[in-house]
Amino acid sequence: MKRKICVVVTARPSYSRIKTALLAIKNHPNLQLQLVLAASALLDRYGNATKFIEEDGFEITAKVFNVLEGENLTAAAKTTGIGILELSSVFDNIKPDIVVTIADRFETIATAIAASYMNIPLAHIQGGEVTGNIDEKVRHSITKLADYHFVASEGAYERVIRLGENPEMVFNTGCPSIDLAHHVKLQGELDFDPITKYGGVGGNPDIRNGYWVVMQHPVTTEVGSSRKHIEETLYAMMELNQPVFWFWPNVDAGADGTSTGIRSFREKNNLENFHFFKNMKPNDFLKLLNNCKGLVGNSSVGIRECAYLGVPVINIGSRQNKRERGNNVWDVTYDRNQIRNAAVQIDESARPESSNVYGGGEAGKIIAQQLSELPLIFHKTIAY
Amino acid sequence: MKRKICVVVTARPSYSRIKTALLAIKNHPNLQLQLVLAASALLDRYGNATKFIEEDGFEITAKVFNVLEGENLTAAAKTTGIGILELSSVFDNIKPDIVVTIADRFETIATAIAASYMNIPLAHIQGGEVTGNIDEKVRHSITKLADYHFVASEGAYERVIRLGENPEMVFNTGCPSIDLAHHVKLQGELDFDPITKYGGVGGNPDIRNGYWVVMQHPVTTEVGSSRKHIEETLYAMMELNQPVFWFWPNVDAGADGTSTGIRSFREKNNLENFHFFKNMKPNDFLKLLNNCKGLVGNSSVGIRECAYLGVPVINIGSRQNKRERGNNVWDVTYDRNQIRNAAVQIDESARPESSNVYGGGEAGKIIAQQLSELPLIFHKTIAY
Amino acid sequence: MKRKICVVVTARPSYSRIKTALLAIKNHPNLQLQLVLAASALLDRYGNATKFIEEDGFEITAKVFNVLEGENLTAAAKTTGIGILELSSVFDNIKPDIVVTIADRFETIATAIAASYMNIPLAHIQGGEVTGNIDEKVRHSITKLADYHFVASEGAYERVIRLGENPEMVFNTGCPSIDLAHHVKLQGELDFDPITKYGGVGGNPDIRNGYWVVMQHPVTTEVGSSRKHIEETLYAMMELNQPVFWFWPNVDAGADGTSTGIRSFREKNNLENFHFFKNMKPNDFLKLLNNCKGLVGNSSVGIRECAYLGVPVINIGSRQNKRERGNNVWDVTYDRNQIRNAAVQIDESARPESSNVYGGGEAGKIIAQQLSELPLIFHKTIAY
Amino acid sequence: MKRKICVVVTARPSYSRIKTALLAIKNHPNLQLQLVLAASALLDRYGNATKFIEEDGFEITAKVFNVLEGENLTAAAKTTGIGILELSSVFDNIKPDIVVTIADRFETIATAIAASYMNIPLAHIQGGEVTGNIDEKVRHSITKLADYHFVASEGAYERVIRLGENPEMVFNTGCPSIDLAHHVKLQGELDFDPITKYGGVGGNPDIRNGYWVVMQHPVTTEVGSSRKHIEETLYAMMELNQPVFWFWPNVDAGADGTSTGIRSFREKNNLENFHFFKNMKPNDFLKLLNNCKGLVGNSSVGIRECAYLGVPVINIGSRQNKRERGNNVWDVTYDRNQIRNAAVQIDESARPESSNVYGGGEAGKIIAQQLSELPLIFHKTIAY
């Protein structure tokens, strides 16, 4: 009988990050994939991932609606509570052999608690990283609940071991998101028109001389400043006066501050060089990145995939503070001048070298193989 | 303005363990105590702690009912989810400056998540210990969510630091439960009749030549065997044929297995030497222990308070597997012969030496003082 | 394709009441039964119905644990809230064509809300009755959510119509519980020994000269008096000094008052003539009733099945206050003397006539047939 | 001691409707107002009512976030379940003497269940009305849970009595929303510039020759058609080519269909005559209505306040199907031609007569007075 591997995806970006692992699990002769979609991954206003996932040929085993609306931290806590209630029912129904949770978004701990409290072996992807924000509490807390760890870099590997995990259960597989980047790098050119293919709203800039991509999320510990922070980036890019493809932020306490800031800025300014997207197929998004002048914002894509692709990144603020990085990153604060100056510098510099710091393009397959072979355990003790 | 310190107590034994800290917080000139009672601490069939708490002079700020009934692990997960929903409402209402969570019962992580997700500084009491069961996942997971750590032993101190916590936020205060034991040790003799004072059910044994105390909880990772395990202890103590005071177990997945085992055994056997209690005031319980021949079961009281008191303990099975211990512990497996033989040995041996391994009797005051002085932080990063 | 009929059973007595309808649905060529077990029907301490149901040959489609523990009314409200959360997930998964809810226990409104809010046609069994307690708020409230009504008596039929329901959707089918009584009446004699077959606890009375059956539930609006009320019955039956088979109460706010009252009374009195059961197969229970001297308490079984069987009933207090009744009922208040006197009178009287006031023994089949033919609607308006 | 009257407001329009009653309760010498804000009343994207309420001088006793995000009916059911969980905690904390629930939005039944299950007397405002949609299930179901009924019209009064309620507990007070309309009618002219005062988005039409107001909500039983329905209205008003003030819809299953429809239409068409608002102070909104050419959509404001004000209404579709109405209503289906033709007719007709069908302007005071005098009951039986 095949092992049932239940992967819980709670946000669109997590899906892209994990896609090659999903594919490898689905295609593995000894594994059966149970894909559960939850939280903002299901919501239109944060870029519902359902369609992309189905187009990629995956079947969705269960959908869990658990986002409690309300722009505040209490709602984030309650969303997590509801997530546990709902996910434990799902696990009861589909009886997975292993549950997989991804990274460090606040609601992923619901997956970890439901699985570990129900004595289901738990695998965690992308533990051990350092970012210096609330995500870090969540991430390391999940590490201490998880039985298997698939980490993305050497530094992460060492940290998970230092956190007291059994070294036999920790694997530096690289990040599955790099697998996609690897594929995209081989493909090269931007072979589609983003606006024609994805709609979105805003101007229709001429991108023949290049374009920028912006993706900036609110930072949980800086909720009150979300709007001010996004405005600095908006001003910087408006003043730069070059084509911009802008992506809406994830749901998070503070997302409404960011979204409202963008919406209000659009009403008041003439942004003909800006076009806004909610979502893009992961592969297309990476192609868009691979061919852009640079990525602006605080997405981890800038630190990971862009390192592998050798795409310049203007990394704003504290969100990626402590992540290992390649040579492709320009770090700046929430300041329109710093942002614009970095863009000007990048425009004048050569493209950075590619880096393998987050993996070499085979993470999905390695993870699937491990999931098929690892002993089924849900009982552990600290290793010191 | 006084700092508001919210302590969430989720079980009767946690209350006894923390009582001196509660008192020290209540009496501290710069602190205001907010005492929240939740989970099994409120339920009659697990020894409702409300009455004891009120008799001790504490006011209960809020009560949270979150135990979902059902003898299974899914109910434990859901109880935790409901706990988050409810506690986040409570914190919203009473706006604590610091939240304190105790030890490692499964539902305590609800306190930790609600507080940390709401950016309220979180203190954890009794982190860093090693037990080798599901509690350990919970305990270390809470450590990674907590901002301050009040640990009970040198080993725990070192482990919390190795888990990547900032050493400036980790304090080996000893366990507040030892404070009570310290007090009781000074008092000496058993100065009340347990059955007269606490009722309970069962026979009325003659204890002039000594008595045993039994307290055995189900083990989360061995749910299916709860009944068999308790029966071994029941047979051992019946065959020993000496007076026994037996305490009902906590609520937990598996509690019903344990409870049912006891109830059924009582129906079928003549247990005139056994008397059963649900609950006892902490102080009286420690006096009962201080004067008994030995404690039988798997309660952490055997490892901690009994070490300080120098009371012999027959520690059964895996639950206290890896805790540091004094010389007072006889470790046995779930086997009636081993249990009975240990009892016979203890009967023939001298009383063990007292040990300070879990503190020297001032933990409550030290914790309260720290809570009044520590910087209010809810933002941290791993220390390596 | 067969119509999927989802019946949600939330308590052991509801199961017995509905059993013949379940059987008729299961055996109907155009229907597929989806049996969902929830609330106290799953809990050991209220007589887990799972085993009986499976022995009767039914498959359980889903189990919903939603009982929040706590002896108070808030817990009853929250149990209902959790019920809605859980049942809506279940309905999402199993996509019933019609949902069936039974009678008027507080948690049944969760079934009604989940179904009607999800635009699933809702059938209600046993609407339109009058009892004068909180059940009545629940019952009529469900009527206003339901699309089809299968009522048990002429009075109930008229009341549901007066409540503004479309007469074409209201059917006086009689109560399915009478179907079982019909069967049992044909069988006659008590052909098993209750204690041998069902265990339980207590004395082993000699029943050759007859026995009484007691079943008394707490009354939601009289929570504070539960214990006092049950004690009156306990004293009355002890003083009567005849064999008694006593059944534990349902879970309800106040159940613990009732249960505690019984437990405590047992400890203090010598009750050799009493034997206590948690549960009995419906068929056996009816046989036990059919051959007893009389039923004592406030169960609706006394009003319904016993009317058909012609068994005398001492109906205590307000719980069945306003239900239509046959000639078999002696109404008394919570008073040990009234109860004992009624028992003495019954002992001296002839057995009452059988009555068809709650149906003639074919309700299950009629309900199944209607469920297979009714138009699928979930949209209605008041009929005046 | 003053009676504590807890009013639970779950949506911005409910607040306007009830405002004069809130004021009368607040100012009544024997009453203390406890105002609880819940559900969409708290959410920015549905017109957060918090600011308006505080500006009106009310203190908010508790806020309850219970909207589970997800464009589907399951989320509506779950929102109700969470509402019960949260509201029962609130009632536990603030211990109201009477709880007041308003009208018939799906989530209002959570208020009704929490209060009635906790034995708190429940008052219902605006029961007894007929609309022919899911609201009607909710509304009449709440009537059967409520102890006091404050209805808004003669027809509603008769219906609540026929539903079996005790006539001594049913009062035709008129609708409190008419109290505001009464006040506004006395004030007359539009004395503010809507766009200057409220911002919003869209064109800046010249309204000196009059303007229309549009407010169209999704219909729960027609979820799949929300977008198509709103588009007919959008086309009709665009073709009419007169100034339009358009209000965003409430949160509801289907709201996203309506909102998306509007957003998408705006992107594709040049709507210089349209201006969009999220929200307006109730008083200003009524002034805006009182001076408009007509109201278009399916809001109950058209049936109630506009009857009293004598403002023409183009009532679209089934939502207000069966409500009593004055002479001010033109009923049309979801058809752009019918809508436009009605507008042309209205433009050419005289203004309709005022009507007292929903009250005479004193409802708030009458309700407050009743709440101060009524016996505190929570126990009832059907009146036939």
Side-chain angles (χ1 to χ4, degrees), chain C residues 26-44:
Chain C
K26 190 185 159 204
N27 294 333
H28 194 286
N30 301 329
L31 299 178
Q32 175 191 338
L33 175 64
Q34 297 177 318
L35 180 54
V36 174
L37 233 59
S40 74
L42 290 165
L43 300 179
D44 286 345

Side-chain angles (χ1 to χ4, degrees), chain C residues 286-344:
Chain C
L286 288 175
K287 262 187 212 162
L288 193 76
L289 282 180
N290 195 33
N291 290 282
C292 76
K293 289 184 161 211
L295 172 68
V296 180
N298 58 12
S299 168
S300 63
V301 168
I303 308 298
R304 297 162 175 282
E305 286 85 342
C306 291
Y308 186 83
L309 294 171
V311 168
V313 169
I314 303 176
N315 179 64
I316 305 172
S318 60
R319 196 160 176 262
Q320 306 300 335
N321 228 353
K322 305 210 178 169
R323 281 222 167 89
E324 289 158 275
R325 47 196 70 185
N327 297 319
N328 65 316
V329 179
W330 276 251
D331 284 302
V332 301
T333 62
Y334 302 109
D335 177 277
R336 63 188 82 175
N337 294 321
Q338 285 193 28
I339 298 168
R340 201 189 49 231
N341 292 341
V344 172

Side-chain angles (χ1 to χ4, degrees), chain D residues 228-257:
Chain D
K228 202 179 140 294
H229 290 169
I230 198 69
E231 284 172 356
E232 290 298 310
T233 309
L234 286 157
Y235 276 113
M237 299 313 289
M238 184 173 70
E239 291 165 7
L240 184 64
N241 200 21
Q242 298 187 6
V244 172
F245 292 133
W246 196 298
F247 286 80
W248 294 97
N250 292 334
V251 60
D252 254 321
D256 285 6

Side-chain angles (χ1 to χ4, degrees), chain C residues 187-194 197 283-284 287 291:
Chain C
Q187 295 174 321
E189 295 296 294
L190 187 66
D191 52 4
F192 65 96
D193 175 38
K197 188 160 181 184
N283 206 52
D284 286 348
K287 262 187 212 162
N291 290 282

Side-chain angles (χ1 to χ4, degrees), chain C residues 219-265:
Chain C
V219 177
T220 325
T221 51
E222 304 167 353
V223 164
S225 314
S226 295
R227 181 152 179 180
K228 201 177 139 298
H229 290 170
I230 198 71
E231 283 173 356
E232 290 298 309
T233 310
L234 285 157
Y235 275 114
M237 299 313 289
M238 183 174 71
E239 290 164 8
L240 184 64
N241 200 19
Q242 298 187 7
V244 172
F245 292 132
W246 197 297
F247 286 80
W248 294 97
N250 292 333
V251 59
D252 255 320
D256 285 6
T258 305
S259 301
T260 309
I262 298 172
R263 242 175 233 128
S264 164
F265 196 86

Side-chain angles (χ1 to χ4, degrees), chain A residues 44-327:
Chain A
D44 287 345
R45 61 177 180 138
Y46 302 101
N48 193 327
T50 312
K51 216 183 81 189
F52 297 108
I53 287 174
E54 290 177 343
E55 282 174 12
D56 286 340
F58 295 109
E59 205 178 310
I60 296 168
T61 308
K63 295 182 180 182
V64 168
F65 290 87
N66 62 313
V67 175
L68 193 72
E69 206 168 335
E71 188 186 356
N72 57 59
L73 297 165
T74 312
K78 286 180 188 285
T79 291
T80 306
I82 299 167
I84 296 173
L85 285 172
E86 299 284 321
L87 285 166
S88 55
S89 291
V90 169
F91 296 160
D92 240 7
N93 280 328
I94 67 177
K95 306 214 178 305
D97 293 304
I98 297 177
V99 165
V100 179
T101 191
I102 305 158
D104 48 34
R105 288 177 52 87
F106 71 89
E107 76 279 1
T108 55
I109 207 170
T111 306
I113 288 176
S116 57
Y117 280 33
M118 293 170 76
N119 284 353
I120 305 169
L122 175 69
H124 185 211
I125 293 185
Q126 287 187 11
E129 306 193 5
V130 185
T131 46
N133 55 9
I134 176 72
D135 293 350
E136 203 169 316
K137 285 190 174 179
V138 176
R139 188 186 311 118
H140 305 320
S141 193
I142 293 176
T143 291
K144 296 311 297 174
L145 295 169
D147 302 288
Y148 320 116
H149 311 271
F150 302 120
V151 304
S153 71
E154 198 48 41
Y157 178 82
E158 280 162 23
R159 256 175 247 112
V160 169
I161 306 267
R162 290 188 69 175
L163 280 165
E165 295 304 296
N166 178 355
E168 293 179 22
M169 296 296 150
V170 189
F171 309 92
N172 179 4
T173 59
C175 182
S177 65
I178 304 300
D179 302 5
L180 280 184
H182 174 70
H183 191 62
V184 161
K185 204 174 175 188
L186 300 175
Q187 295 175 323
E189 296 294 294
L190 186 67
D191 53 4
F192 64 96
D193 175 38
I195 299 178
T196 310
K197 188 160 180 184
Y198 287 99
V201 300
N204 202 339
D206 177 354
I207 63 171
R208 280 172 301 181
N209 293 319
Y211 56 88
W212 296 83
V213 176
V214 182
M215 185 176 251
Q216 182 165 343
H217 303 295
V219 177
T220 325
T221 50
E222 304 167 352
V223 164
S225 314
S226 295
R227 182 153 178 178
K228 199 177 142 298
H229 290 170
I230 198 71
E231 283 172 356
E232 290 299 310
T233 310
L234 285 157
Y235 276 113
M237 299 313 290
M238 184 174 69
E239 290 163 9
L240 183 65
N241 200 20
Q242 298 187 5
V244 172
F245 292 132
W246 195 297
F247 287 80
W248 295 98
N250 292 334
V251 60
D252 256 319
D256 285 7
T258 306
S259 302
T260 309
I262 299 173
R263 240 173 234 130
S264 162
F265 196 86
R266 279 186 63 205
E267 303 282 348
K268 291 180 198 136
N269 294 284
N270 186 7
L271 302 174
E272 289 188 357
N273 257 330
F274 283 45
H275 196 88
F276 294 85
F277 295 107
K278 275 199 175 169
N279 205 349
M280 212 169 258
K281 285 191 195 180
N283 207 51
D284 287 348
F285 178 59
L286 289 176
K287 263 187 209 160
L288 194 75
L289 282 180
N290 194 33
N291 290 281
C292 76
K293 290 181 158 213
L295 172 69
V296 181
N298 57 12
S299 169
S300 62
V301 168
I303 307 299
R304 297 162 173 282
E305 287 85 342
C306 291
Y308 187 84
L309 293 172
V311 169
V313 169
I314 303 175
N315 179 63
I316 306 172
S318 61
R319 196 160 176 262
Q320 306 299 334
N321 228 354
K322 307 211 176 168
R323 282 221 166 91
E324 288 158 276
R325 45 197 71 185
N327 298 318

Side-chain angles (χ1 to χ4, degrees), chain B residues 38-85:
Chain B
S40 73
L42 290 165
L43 299 180
D44 286 346
R45 60 174 181 142
Y46 301 101
N48 193 328
T50 312
K51 217 183 79 190
F52 298 108
I53 287 175
E54 290 177 342
E55 283 174 10
D56 285 340
F58 295 109
E59 204 178 311
I60 296 168
T61 308
K63 295 182 179 182
V64 168
F65 291 86
N66 64 312
V67 175
L68 192 72
E69 207 169 334
E71 190 186 356
N72 58 59
L73 296 166
T74 312
K78 286 180 190 285
T79 290
T80 307
I82 298 168
I84 296 173
L85 284 172

